[in-house]
Amino acid sequence: MGDLDHSSGEVVGVRGGGDVALSAADYDGVFAILDYCSAARTLDQLKNLLMVALHDHYGCPNTTFLSGPTFTTAFADPNPVTTGRITPILDEYQAHWYLDDVFATAQSRATLLASPAITHTQLADVPSQSATYLRDFLYRKRLHSASVMHLELAHGGHGLVGIFDSEGKDLSGRDIAGLGILSRQLSLLCQTLPGQREPGWREKLTPRQIDLAELLADGHTNDEIAAILSLSPDTVKKYVSRILAVLHVRNRAEFVKLVYEQKLADQRG
């Protein structure tokens, strides 16, 4: 992770959010959070333990933990864990703002692939709707900055831990670098926790893909689906290929088998 400079007590050459020097104390904070969260036996327990640990070790009183089967659907989590000033504004976020969240953008997703902890100031040229989200929601609610940690959950799921400042105490570059290390280690822990339900095939698709997939499961041809959904046959063909790829099935027959296997499992459970 880097070399310790014994004269300064800093670890240098650490990557994640740029080359940032982390001190031994920074690492102690990361390890303390990992140790605290290691007591979790389910994902729900980890969510609550992490919120407490972020407050204690990073001074973060305003936090969220969103999760979902895909990166985008995580922002629509109906039951997120929230603390501090986030809790009273959650209803407004869910009703009006989650689609415009600055971290729900393609740019944010790409940035998080390179570094699993970022601040909103690392995102340049945000879409106009995201700029409106910052100005008319976060800033209006006196939340002056936003950071996020991306966690990889079991079954390919995604966790997004939001950290918000209300007192002009932005996270430093060293904080973000430390949170990046924490994100990677917590991802390994999250993937071992029991009780995370395998998402059904519908949860892995967009609403438009679901409309088409249901027709596919009913045995309709591409031309029939095109006529029903007012799409061109070529567009239907592209949709079908994408659906099969997302669900990791090789052909229509395997997709139909998946649909009926999950239907039987739901009826038994």
Side-chain angles (χ1 to χ4, degrees), residues 15-248:
R15 294 189 180 274
D19 289 334
V20 178
L22 296 186
S23 69
D26 292 326
Y27 274 106
D28 286 344
V30 171
F31 296 145
I33 293 176
L34 287 172
D35 184 59
Y36 189 74
C37 291
S38 67
R41 295 295 176 264
T42 66
L43 181 62
D44 286 341
Q45 288 179 359
L46 182 135
K47 291 178 181 180
N48 288 287
L49 289 173
L50 180 58
M51 299 297 98
V52 173
L54 288 172
H55 182 275
D56 290 347
H57 294 282
Y58 279 88
C60 303
N62 311 302
T63 53
T64 64
F65 196 126
L66 309 172
S67 59
T70 69
F71 180 81
T72 301
T73 57
F75 291 90
D77 185 351
N79 297 300
V81 175
T82 63
T83 66
R85 299 179 63 85
I86 305 301
T87 303
I89 66 174
L90 179 62
D91 287 346
E92 182 178 346
Y93 174 82
Q94 292 177 322
H96 302 292
W97 296 106
Y98 76 92
L99 290 174
D100 299 327
D101 194 307
V102 70
F103 294 122
T105 63
Q107 181 189 169
S108 172
R109 183 73 183 99
T111 306
L112 286 167
L113 286 173
S115 178
I118 62 173
T119 70
H120 81 279
T121 56
Q122 291 174 250
L123 303 174
D125 301 321
V126 299
S128 59
Q129 63 268 28
S130 296
T132 300
Y133 161 83
L134 290 170
R135 183 187 67 242
D136 293 349
F137 181 61
L138 284 189
Y139 299 161
R140 178 169 58 86
K141 298 298 183 179
R142 293 186 294 151
L143 296 169
H144 308 301
S145 68
S147 304
V148 68
M149 299 164 56
H150 175 245
L151 306 182
E152 297 177 7
L153 308 182
H155 309 305
H158 296 261
L160 295 164
V161 180
I163 301 171
F164 305 89
D165 165 59
S166 62
E167 299 178 356
K169 298 179 180 177
D170 295 354
L171 294 177
S172 68
R174 280 169 47 172
D175 291 334
I176 294 299
L179 290 173
I181 296 169
L182 179 63
S183 298
R184 292 186 175 94
Q185 297 303 313
L186 285 176
S187 289
L188 297 176
L189 174 59
C190 287
Q191 292 174 51
T192 69
L193 295 174
Q196 299 180 62
R197 182 180 63 85
E198 170 71 41
W201 65 268
R202 284 183 174 83
E203 295 172 271
K204 299 178 182 180
L205 303 177
T206 67
R208 188 58 163 169
Q209 287 173 337
I210 292 172
D211 290 341
L212 193 147
E214 289 177 344
L215 295 173
L216 194 65
D218 285 338
H220 289 285
T221 66
N222 283 3
D223 287 343
E224 290 170 340
I225 294 172
I228 293 170
L229 297 181
S230 299
L231 299 172
S232 72
D234 284 344
T235 299
V236 171
K237 185 177 180 180
K238 291 177 182 177
Y239 263 109
V240 171
S241 295
R242 179 58 181 160
I243 289 168
L244 298 182
V246 168
L247 298 178
H248 302 293

